[in-house]
Every structure is written in structure tokens, then in C-alpha cells.
């Protein structure tokens, strides 16, 4: 019971060990589900379960019947038209990153939208090409089909550009198909949680490196130069070397067009951000510039007169489905897995942002299934791997999109372009697309500003950001991602393997215990040491745990025990020789001329014998090991009688941890230091019982509910009335204490003849 009195509370309860608490409060026996129970639940079927399964697998069946036509339809139409125009432009632009013809980018902007409409769980994300994923696809395509060869097969070299383009399309579409298979398999296996292993610092460092690689990849279009494709480690530096070696061949019209587009897009985006609340819709500057540039290029014949590189032929309509290449599957399995994880992580993070904003839930496993099916269908129809774009999704949401009906409308806009008006974009200069891509990467490049903040807040996160960034730049995006995940896991291992132990003490005469070094108003009972263990105890930190306990107490119990046993043997020999005798004040030397027994006489003793508890039962008097012994016999002094381990943060313990813990407990018990464990989790205690951890020496009575319970038990057991280092008897009259009458009551008034603390 807690009675609030003027912002204070008093608690009257017994001092509880785990044993006494269990005897006073019966534990309810619960049935824990076994693997067989889970299998039965999965395999059983009922009409309700079948309906729930279908609705969860095809979410459109649940939200479309509840669609508010009058309230949402007009907003979805407007949003879909705007998003569709952006999707057309991004499809053309991101196809350049994927090293395929721009027309295939339109396929990637259409098919994922249709499939996601049926299977996606988010109402606002816009499925389609994403620059980072497109760049990763392009890196794989460039490695298999270089620009100057026929690539992945053993056929003879050819200079036919159409053949190279076709082979690149096969690689990109087969890779997208394989990415879809991996995502679908992960979704069906219910491992949508895999995205949690990609932390924000890792993703931000990775995407920043990818943004730089995107910028480098677009420089050839901005400058109008032709360079070979590079992939693998250091590919970005090879690309830069090739670009700068041809810098004198820059096509000035391409460069001027690209710079003008970049300046205009930058200004328009700054105006959109500044007047966001006043503008009904953002200024569609990319669409406006695309239309103008395509018109000017066609009217003034930029390609013929100024040698400007244009988008070129965009095939009208759709081509028949194409079976993926098994040879590409074998070559790109590792890359496909990286792309699948990155694409899902980015899409799911965007989906969560809008789900939180609009108060609905998204299912990670269903998102994997939705994007897996999207990529399978898209790859079958010659598209490349898709994800979602934050900018495109932002347009869909900010222009009033309520559901994926807006996504279907945007897909319809792409469909119209593919079937009817795609040829109008054929004169569009590629430098226009490159300029738009580079400026749209501003948000990713601005993530460099996170580094000083991360350094102040968490140096491990800052290290993950920087090392992932460097690895992605040097090794390439696929190996860089793997390196980043490895670095991230290493930081977790390092934090858990080398946690920060702390000696804690009572604060402000309460039942609160905090790190001793951090406070001045501490109350530290004489002879009691309290150590907080801040991490799970397992094989990786078991030795570190023991070392930290030894460092906190100031002595090694094994070494103390061996010194005591050696001293005991020496004392017994001196008594046998008559050189020591029993006096009222203990053992004294018979003659001051007696010579000490050399330690070398004991060096050949068995180590096992020295590790046994000291046995003084056959001596005529007790030995105070902390007092000065005769004959200058030196034994390390132990200045504590009780050690309390705070296990409140120990969430689990394995067999290696148990072995280390049990050995530590027994070592302290052998030198007459009582040791207690406080705040242990019920699961940890249950596992200790299940693994036969307890014996005649290590008992369950050593475990207490809280640190304060353990401290009060120690003071009561030792009969200490005032045991505070930082206070006199007068100063300690108004502190926490326990009495037999109150059975553990905490009070704040002086009472005589009570055990005080």
C-alpha cells in the first residue's frame, strides 16, 4: 500500500527475498505455448480464419468496399494526375541510372502501381522506381553487360547498340524478377522485421554515399561525354577518372541546358518549401521544364545542330512478357538480396511515416509480399526493380491523395504516355533528366549535417554512419551495405560485450540507488558494496563480468583465498614448532627471534588445495584475517562483508554466463563475503532453476526483489544500527530504517532502538 502524503509516500511491507515473496504470493501457473501448439494454430482452418487470411493477403478487399466515394474520389483523381506526371518523368530519369533505355523506366512506373493497389497495406506510398535501387540495378547491369561488349554470354563481341540495349534489359528485368522472388519469400516466411537491422544512421550513411554515386553517374549526361561503365570496388573513382580525362570533350550545349535546369528546379523547390502552406499544390517545375525542353529540342533540332544527347526512341505500347534468365539469377543472387532488403527498408520506412501521420497501420510482411509481387510482374514485363520514392509519395499525399485509388490514377497517366504520347518525349535532352535527378538528391546530400549531431548524441551511431558511407563509396553499394550491417552489429556486440558496470549507493535517504560517482548526497553502508550489471550475461561478456566485479570490490577473491590458505599452513607449522601460542588478544610470537617460514616452502602445494575454503576448526583460536598477523604474515585485507549485484538490467543469461556467475559467487563465499543478487528478472531466475544452478552453497535465498530489500537484509543480519559512511550518528537520525515491528516499514522520523539505515 502506498499512502501519498504531501508528495511523499510511505510503504509498509516485509523485506522480501525471492523465497519469502514466493511463499507469501502464489505464482499463477500459466500454460506456455509449445511449437506443437503454434503448428496446430497455423494448420487449423475455419471460415473466419480463411476470411481474415484473404483480407490480410489482399488488403484492397477490406478498404475498397468502405471507400468514401463522395469525400475521397475527387481528391484521389487530382492527386493521381499530379503524381502520374511526376512518375512519368522519374521513370525516364531513373532508367538512366539503371543503365537501360528510358522506355523501360515507364514500365517500372506502371506495373508496380497496379500490383501494389491490390496487395499493399499503405494508402499513400507511390510504388515505382527509386534512385538508390535504380543505381544498384545499374551497377549490376554495367558489370554484366559493359558498354563495349556483348556482356554476360560467351557470344562474340558486337558493336550493335540495339543488341547491347536488349541484353541490358534482360539483365535488369531478370534481376528485378529475382528481387521480387526474394521479397515474396521473405514476406511469406513472416520476416518483415528484417528492416529493423537497418538503423537510421546506417540507412542515412548508405543513401548519402549512393546519392554521390548517382551524381557521378549523371555527370556524363551533363557534360555530354561517353565513358565506359564501371562496377565493383572503387568504381566511382574510375568513373571520375574517365570523366576528367575527357573533360575537354564536353558538349557545351548539354552543360548549359543541365545547369539552367538545375538552377530553375532549385529555385522552384525553395519556393515550394517556403510557401508550402499557401500553395494549393507544389509547383510542378520538373514537368514544366520537361515539356518546354522537349518542345525546344524538337523545334530547334538540338540533336542535329548541337549534338545534344536525347532520350531517343520510346517504343509505343507494351511488349510481350519475357522469361527471366537463369544465368543472370546465378550471377546476381547476392546483389538481388541486397537490392531486395534496401528496396523494402526504404519503402517500409516511407509507409510508416504516412501511417503514423494518418493514424493507420502498415504490415511489414504484407509490404514484402506486395513489393515482391510488384517486382515479379514488373520484371516479367521488362521493367527493373522498384521500391517507392519519398518525393513521389509526398506529392501523392500533399495533393490530397486518400487511398491507393490515387495510385491507380497515376498508373493510368503512365499508361496513356506509353500507349499514345510517349513519342513526344523522344527529343528530350538527357541533360535535362540528369539536372532534375541531381537537384532532387539535395535532401540526401544534406544528411551530412547529421554527423556533428550524431557525434554529440551517440558516437557509436556516428561511427556507423561514417563507416557505412565510406564502405559504400569504396566497395560499391552492395558490398557497402553488407559492410555497414556488419559494422552496426559489431557496435551492438561491443556495447553488450563491454558494458559499463557501476558501483551504486543509496541517494538522499530513500530507496533509490544510483551511480556513486554522480552524486554527493550518498549513504554507503560500511562493509557493503553494490554493483550494477547493465547488460545480459552470456558467453561474450562472461569473463568481462567477473573482471568488473573484481575491479569494483578492489580484490580478487581467488587470490585472497590462496593467500589465506598459504598463511594458514604457515600458522599451523609455527604452532606445531611452538613458535606461536594463543593469547587473550589472539596468536602471538613466542620469541621475537623466530624466523619467518619462507614462502618457497609452500610453492609446491597443489592449486586445488589452495582453492578450498579455509578450515580453522583445528586451531586453538579464531583468525581475524583483516588484523595484523604474527611473524609478518601478509594476507590481503577484505574491507567488505557483503556484496550486492543489481541484476535489474540482465535480460537473459546463457550457460557460459551461469558458469561465470556461479564461480564468482562461490569465490566470494569462500572468503566469507556474503553475496546477494537483486532485481533479477523472473525469466532469468526461472532459467537458473531449470538449469540446476543452485546447490548447497548458492541458494535461492541469495536473490532479493530489489536492491533496497537486499541492503536492509544485510543491515538486519549484521546487526548494524548506523552504517553510513557519509554521516554521523546525529546526522543519521532521520534516515530510512527497518524495524521488526514494522517488518520493513520505511519511515522519515527518528525512533529509538531500531535498526537504522
Amino acid at each position: 500500500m502506498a499512502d501519498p502524503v504531501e508528495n511523499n509516500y510511505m510503504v509498509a511491507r516485509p523485506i522480501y527475498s525471492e523465497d519469502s515473496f514466493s511463499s507469501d504470493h502464489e505464482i499463477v501457473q500459466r500454460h506456455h505455448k509449445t511449437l506443437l501448439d503454434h503448428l496446430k494454430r497455423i494448420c487449423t482452418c475455419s471460415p473466419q480464419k480463411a476470411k481474415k487470411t484473404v483480407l490480410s493477403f489482399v488488403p484492397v478487399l477490406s478498404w475498397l468496399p468502405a471507400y468514401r466515394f463522395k469525400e475521397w474520389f475527387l481528391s484521389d483523381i487530382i492527386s493521381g494526375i499530379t503524381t502520374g506526371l511526376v512518375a512519368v518523368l522519374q521513370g525516364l530519369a531513373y532508367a538512366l541510372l539503371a543503365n537501360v533505355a528510358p522506355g523501360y523506366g515507364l514500365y517500372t512506373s506502371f506495373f508496380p502501381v497496379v500490383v501494389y493497389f491490390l496487395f499493399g497495406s499503405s494508402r499513400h506510398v507511390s510504388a515505382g522506381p527509386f534512385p538508390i535501387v535504380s543505381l544498384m540495378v545499374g551497377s549490376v547491369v554495367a558489370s554484366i553487360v559493359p558498354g563495349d561488349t556483348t556482356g554476360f554470354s560467351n557470344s562474340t563481341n558486337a558493336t550493335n547498340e540495339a543488341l547491347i540495349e536488349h541484353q541490358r534489359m534482360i539483365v535488369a528485368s531478370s534481376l528485378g524478377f529475382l528481387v521480387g522472388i526474394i521479397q515474396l519469400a521473405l514476406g511469406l516466411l513472416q520476416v518483415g522485421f528484417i528492416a529493423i537491422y537497418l538503423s537510421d544512421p546506417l540507412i542515412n550513411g548508405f543513401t548519402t554515399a549512393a546519392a554521390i554515386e548517382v551524381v557521378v553517374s549523371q555527370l556524363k549526361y551533363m557534360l555530354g561525354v561517353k565513358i565506359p561503365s564501371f562496377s565493383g570496388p572503387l568504381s566511382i573513382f574510375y568513373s571520375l577518372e574517365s570523366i576528367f580525362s575527357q573533360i575537354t570533350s564536353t558538349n557545351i550545349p548539354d552543360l548549359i541546358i543541365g545547369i539552367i535546369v538545375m538552377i530553375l528546379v532549385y529555385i522552384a523547390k525553395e519556393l515550394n518549401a517556403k510557401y508550402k502552406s499557401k500553395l494549393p499544390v507544389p509547383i510542378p517545375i520538373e514537368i514544366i521544364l520537361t515539356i518546354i525542353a522537349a518542345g525546344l529540342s524538337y523545334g530547334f533540332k538540338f540533336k542535329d545542330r548541337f549534338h545534344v544527347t536525347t532520350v531517343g526512341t520510346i517504343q509505343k505500347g507494351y511488349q510481350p512478357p519475357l522469361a527471366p534468365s537463369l544465368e543472370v539469377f546465378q550471377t546476381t543472387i547476392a546483389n538481388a538480396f541486397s537490392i531486395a532488403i534496401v528496396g523494402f527498408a526504404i519503402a517500409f520506412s516511407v509507409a510508416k511515416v504516412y501511417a503514423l501521420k494518418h493514424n493507420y497501420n502498415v504490415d511489414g510482411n504484407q509490404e514484402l509480399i506486395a513489393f515482391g509481387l510488384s517486382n515479379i510482374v514488373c520484371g516479367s514485363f521488362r521493367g527493373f526493380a522498384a521500391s517507392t520514392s519519398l518525393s513521389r509519395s509526398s506529392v501523392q499525399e500533399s495533393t490530397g491523395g486518400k487511398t491507393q485509388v490515387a495510385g491507380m490514377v497515376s498508373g493510368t497517366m503512365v499508361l496513356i504516355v506509353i500507349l499514345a504520347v510517349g513519342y513526344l518525349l523522344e527529343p528530350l535532352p538527357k541533360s535535362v533528366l540528369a539536372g532534375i535527378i541531381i537537384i532532387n538528391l539535395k535532401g540526401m546530400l544534406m544528411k551530412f549535417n547529421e554527423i556533428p549531431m550524431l557525434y554529440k548524441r551517440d558516437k557509436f551511431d556516428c561511427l556507423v554512419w561514417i563507416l557505412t558511407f565510406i564502405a559504400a563509396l569504396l566497395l560499391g553499394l552492395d558490398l557497402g551495405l553488407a559492410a555497414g550491417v556488419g559494422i552496426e552489429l559489431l557496435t551492438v556486440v561491443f556495447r553488450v560485450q563491454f558494458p559499463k558496470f557501476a558501483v551504486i549507493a543509496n541517494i538522499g535517504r530513500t530507496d533509490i540507488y544510483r551511480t556513486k560517482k554522480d552524486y554527493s548526497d550518498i549513504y554507503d553502508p560500511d562493509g557493503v558494496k553494490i554493483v550494477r550489471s547493465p547488460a545480459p550475461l552470456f558467453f561474450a561478456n562472461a569473463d568481462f563480468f567477473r573482471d568488473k566485479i573484481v575491479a569494483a570490490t578492489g580484490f580478487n577473491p581467488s587470490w585472497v583465498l590462496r593467500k589465506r590458505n598459504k598463511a594458514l599452513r604457515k600458522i599451523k607449522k609455527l604452532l606445531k614448532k611452538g613458535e606461536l601460542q594463543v593469547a587473550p588478544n589472539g596468536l602471538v610470537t613466542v620469541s621475537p627471534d623466530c624466523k619467518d617460514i619462507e614462502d618457497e616452502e609452500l610453492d609446491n602445494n597443489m592449486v586445488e588445495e589452495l582453492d578450498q575454503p579455509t578450515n580453522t576448526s583445528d586451531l586453538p583460536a579464531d583468525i581475524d584475517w583483516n588484523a595484523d598477523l604474527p611473524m609478518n604474515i601478509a594476507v590481503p585485507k577484505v574491507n567488505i562483508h557483503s556484496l550486492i549485484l543489481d541484476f535489474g538490467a540482465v535480460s537473459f543469461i546463457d550457460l557460459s554466463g551461469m558458469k561465470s556467475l556461479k564461480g564468482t559467487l562461490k569465490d566470494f563465499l569462500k572468503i566469507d563475503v556474503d553475496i546477494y543478487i537483486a532485481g533479477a528478472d523472473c525469466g532469468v531466475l526461472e532459467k537458473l532453476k531449470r538449469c540446476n544452478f543452485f546447490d548447497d552453497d548458492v541458494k535461492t535465498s541469495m536473490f532479493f526483489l530489489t536492491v533496497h530489500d537486499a541492503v536492509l537484509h544485510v543491515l538486519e543480519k549484521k546487526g548494524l544500527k548506523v552504517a553510513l559512511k557519509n554521516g554521523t550518528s546525529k546526522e543519521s537520525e532521520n534516515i530510512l530504517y527497518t524495524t521488526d515491528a514494522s517488518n520493513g516499514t520505511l519511515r522519515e522520523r527518528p525512533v529509538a532502538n531500531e535498526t537504522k539505515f
Side-chain angles (χ1 to χ4, degrees), residues 140-190:
V140 177
V141 170
S143 66
I144 298 178
V145 188
D148 56 347
T149 72
T150 54
F152 64 89
S153 67
N154 293 323
S155 60
T156 58
N157 293 343
T159 58
N160 191 322
E161 187 175 343
L163 178 59
I164 294 176
E165 182 179 297
H166 180 72
Q167 289 186 333
R168 286 185 167 184
M169 178 273 296
I170 292 176
V171 172
S173 60
S174 300
L175 178 61
F177 194 98
L178 182 56
V179 168
I181 291 176
I182 293 172
Q183 290 178 329
L184 179 61
L186 293 176
L188 294 176
L189 292 174
Q190 302 288 294

Side-chain angles (χ1 to χ4, degrees), residues 500-653:
K500 294 183 179 180
F501 283 71
V503 177
I504 61 177
N506 180 270
I507 305 299
R509 306 180 178 92
T510 66
D511 60 343
I512 298 172
Y513 291 80
R514 291 289 184 268
T515 303
K516 185 176 179 180
K517 294 179 179 179
D518 295 341
Y519 298 88
S520 58
D521 187 20
I522 61 172
Y523 297 91
D524 201 10
D526 283 323
V528 180
K529 185 75 71 174
I530 312 171
V531 182
R532 174 168 291 159
S533 177
L537 183 54
F538 63 114
F539 65 93
N541 64 4
D543 293 336
F544 184 78
F545 166 81
R546 178 182 173 83
D547 293 342
K548 282 298 181 180
I549 297 301
V550 168
T553 55
F555 58 87
N556 188 325
S558 299
W559 186 63
V560 171
L561 180 62
R562 292 183 181 184
K563 285 290 187 179
R564 286 185 180 182
N565 278 323
K566 286 184 178 181
L568 183 61
R569 292 196 174 195
K570 188 180 294 187
I571 290 173
K572 288 181 178 180
K573 286 189 176 183
L574 291 173
L575 286 171
K576 187 175 181 180
K577 291 180 179 181
E579 296 179 0
L580 288 179
Q581 65 179 8
V582 179
N585 58 345
L587 297 174
V588 296
T589 305
V590 174
S591 171
D593 297 330
C594 291
K595 294 183 179 180
D596 190 9
I597 297 178
E598 297 293 335
D599 287 341
E600 285 74 15
E601 295 182 15
L602 301 175
D603 285 345
N604 294 324
N605 286 319
M606 298 287 292
V607 174
E608 290 80 2
E609 295 179 3
L610 295 178
D611 288 336
Q612 298 302 314
T614 54
N615 182 12
T616 59
S617 59
D618 56 344
L619 293 180
D622 293 331
I623 299 176
D624 182 0
W625 295 110
N626 285 328
D628 293 332
L629 299 178
M631 303 290 294
N632 296 321
I633 299 175
V635 175
K637 292 180 171 54
V638 176
N639 58 356
I640 64 172
H641 54 73
S642 301
L643 174 63
I644 300 173
L645 303 180
D646 182 1
F647 265 36
V650 179
S651 57
F652 72 88
I653 184 171

Side-chain angles (χ1 to χ4, degrees), residues 92 174 183-184 311 339 444 461 483 496 598 656:
L92 295 172
S174 300
Q183 290 178 329
L184 179 61
V311 169
I339 295 171
M444 294 184 186
D461 282 346
V496 178
E598 297 293 335
S656 299

Side-chain angles (χ1 to χ4, degrees), residues 505-506 513 522-530 641-642 711-712 714-716 718-733 735-737 754-757:
N506 180 270
Y513 291 80
I522 61 172
Y523 297 91
D524 201 10
D526 283 323
V528 180
K529 185 75 71 174
I530 312 171
H641 54 73
S642 301
V711 171
L712 294 178
V714 169
L715 298 184
E716 191 173 52
K718 299 299 181 180
L720 302 177
K721 292 187 176 181
V722 179
L724 301 175
K725 291 182 178 179
N726 292 349
T728 62
S729 298
K730 184 176 181 180
E731 292 172 338
S732 304
E733 289 178 353
I735 58 176
L736 300 181
Y737 54 85
E754 294 183 350
T755 303
K756 294 184 178 181
F757 172 65

